Amino acid sequence: MAVLYIRCGAVDRATYAALAELVGQFTPLVETAPPDVILADISAAVRYLDRLPEQLALMIGTRATAMYDVHLTIGAAGNRAVAAMAAAAARPGRVRAVDADPEAVADFLRPRPVADLHGIDEAAATTLARHGLRTVGQVAATPPAVLQTLLGPAAGLTAWERAHGIDPHRVSADTPPKSLTADRLFSSYGTHPDAVRRTLPLLADSLARQLHGSGRSALTLALTVSLSGGSSLDRTRTLAAPTAHPAVLSDAAHAMCDALALGVTGIRAVALSAVRLVPFAGAAVR
């Protein structure tokens, strides 16, 4: 197995979705972990393209920079835990690969501080360090029964497995999203309805990007305006045909906003959601 653990950095939701779609061009086994991590099993791509995992990681990173001006930090390894640790050890915007050979994995893991051990929380790392187990190599050399005594049965076994580069969890391909949302929180509680209307095209554009990134089109939209008192106003609208076109989404959002007949009241936030999605293929994108 060849796994990439990809850190996207501080990106907005639309860019994150687009990056996940970019990774999906190399493999269908893409698992998203918002807001800034994407995992991918590229085993089939490695065989089909006859490329090393780090070469495919570089290709993905280069395209992300060229298309979205995002510098990805990528760890490549034989499973998700080691790949995550490789990403943590990589310089920002670079690729760090660990060969799947057991000796190479052990050489990479052994000197690392126990706090870097993937899947072990801060409390467990503190407990291990307090008992003189300060490196991953020291944890690996400790019998599982001792680790289970220190951390408990499940956490102790997990620590022993991760210290030996073992992670049975595979990358799980995401299921299609049930809904997508673009929202705006206003800094002033007394925001005028005109500010909401000016925001709608921006929300429509953001929602369109998310739809394209997820390979879906919207058939039904919902507009929610949150008021400073804690209540909200809602409208839904079913479109004539599925679409991911920002202009169509914006027109529908303005129609729903007009139907709300907003008065001069304290408006806290506005959200535009696609609540009924269909596959992008074959859908109208007028």
Side-chain angles (χ1 to χ4, degrees), residues 4 60 63 66 75 116 159 171 221 227:
L4 300 182
I60 291 171
R63 293 187 185 185
D116 288 357
V171 174
L221 295 179
L227 306 179

Side-chain angles (χ1 to χ4, degrees), residues 29 107 111 122 126-127 145 150 152 159 164 188 191 193 202 212 225 238 247 272 281:
L29 296 176
D107 288 343
E122 183 178 352
T126 300
T127 298
L150 295 176
H164 285 84
S188 170
T191 299
L202 302 177
H212 280 285
V225 178
T238 298
L272 180 64

Side-chain angles (χ1 to χ4, degrees), residues 28-127:
L29 296 176
V30 177
E31 180 180 339
T32 54
D36 67 340
V37 170
I38 300 170
L39 293 104
D41 183 339
I42 58 169
S43 303
V46 166
R47 294 190 299 270
Y48 180 76
L49 298 174
D50 192 24
R51 293 288 189 274
L52 295 173
E54 53 265 42
Q55 291 175 317
L56 295 180
L58 284 169
M59 291 171 64
I60 291 171
T62 300
R63 293 187 185 185
T65 301
M67 298 171 65
Y68 304 107
D69 195 26
V70 173
H71 299 278
L72 303 178
T73 303
I74 306 176
N79 61 52
R80 55 193 296 158
V82 179
M85 293 182 68
R91 288 195 294 168
R94 300 296 182 88
V95 174
R96 178 72 180 268
V98 178
D99 193 279
D101 176 75
E103 289 189 11
V105 173
D107 288 343
F108 168 72
L109 294 176
R110 194 179 297 116
R112 309 210 68 76
V114 69
D116 288 357
L117 203 56
H118 187 69
I120 301 301
D121 61 26
E122 183 178 352
T126 300
T127 298

Side-chain angles (χ1 to χ4, degrees), residues 11-23:
V11 297
D12 58 37
R13 285 180 293 182
T15 303
Y16 177 82
L19 291 170
E21 183 182 24
L22 170 62
V23 178

Side-chain angles (χ1 to χ4, degrees), residues 114-115 117 119-131 133-134 139 147 150-152 154-156 158-159:
V114 69
L117 203 56
I120 301 301
D121 61 26
E122 183 178 352
T126 300
T127 298
L128 292 172
R130 190 167 60 244
H131 286 82
L133 303 176
R134 295 183 173 82
V139 176
L147 296 174
L150 295 176
L151 303 178
T158 296

